[in-house]
Amino acid sequence: QVQLVESGGGSVQAGGSLKLSCTASEHIFSRCAMEWYRQAPGKERELVSNIGTDGFTTYVAAAKGRFTISQDDGKNTLYLQMNSLKTEDTAVYYCAAICYDRGVRSNYWGHGTQVTVSS
């Protein structure tokens, strides 16, 4: 059972930066696509960014040019660098792993980290 633990959330003023981390309990990046989601109060959870096993990255339009997803295989850690933060980025941020093992898909989620951006 893969465990994911997020960290790095906090409170920051608009225009500031935060770097979120998501550490996995084992080496998974070679068999799992990794994703960052967020959920703002009263809204549905939305995909922010993902990185495939081939390193290909995608971003939601609101994050393009401001957020960067990356991973460190040696540390089993996924990152989300967030710059030029806006109040609308306020949400709980979750990391997720979409893993395939012998054709069987498994999804894993972290418990989330709160990001609050004030004006």
Side-chain angles (χ1 to χ4, degrees):
Q1 182 80 3
V2 175
Q3 295 182 351
L4 303 173
V5 179
E6 300 98 335
S7 61
S11 297
V12 64
Q13 288 193 323
S17 298
L18 284 174
K19 187 173 185 177
L20 306 183
S21 299
C22 170
T23 300
S25 56
E26 57 189 81
H27 293 292
I28 60 171
F29 295 154
S30 63
R31 62 183 177 89
C32 303
M34 301 298 297
E35 302 181 330
W36 285 103
Y37 285 79
R38 66 185 179 186
Q39 188 166 20
K43 295 187 177 181
E44 294 187 355
R45 192 174 296 189
E46 66 168 348
L47 177 65
V48 175
S49 179
N50 65 7
I51 182 167
T53 54
D54 59 358
F56 186 77
T57 60
T58 64
Y59 300 90
V60 66
K64 283 183 179 178
R66 299 190 299 125
F67 294 3
T68 303
I69 190 171
S70 62
Q71 58 193 31
D72 184 329
D73 291 350
K75 296 182 178 179
N76 297 338
T77 300
L78 175 74
Y79 301 102
L80 186 68
Q81 176 68 48
M82 305 187 295
N83 299 328
S84 302
L85 283 162
K86 304 176 182 180
T87 55
E88 52 263 44
D89 294 319
T90 295
V92 179
Y93 284 71
Y94 301 88
C95 70
I98 316 303
C99 306
Y100 288 90
D101 185 7
R102 287 168 286 187
V104 177
R105 171 172 170 156
S106 299
N107 296 351
Y108 304 97
W109 290 87
H111 292 293
T113 186
Q114 176 71 48
V115 171
T116 303
V117 184
S118 59
S119 58

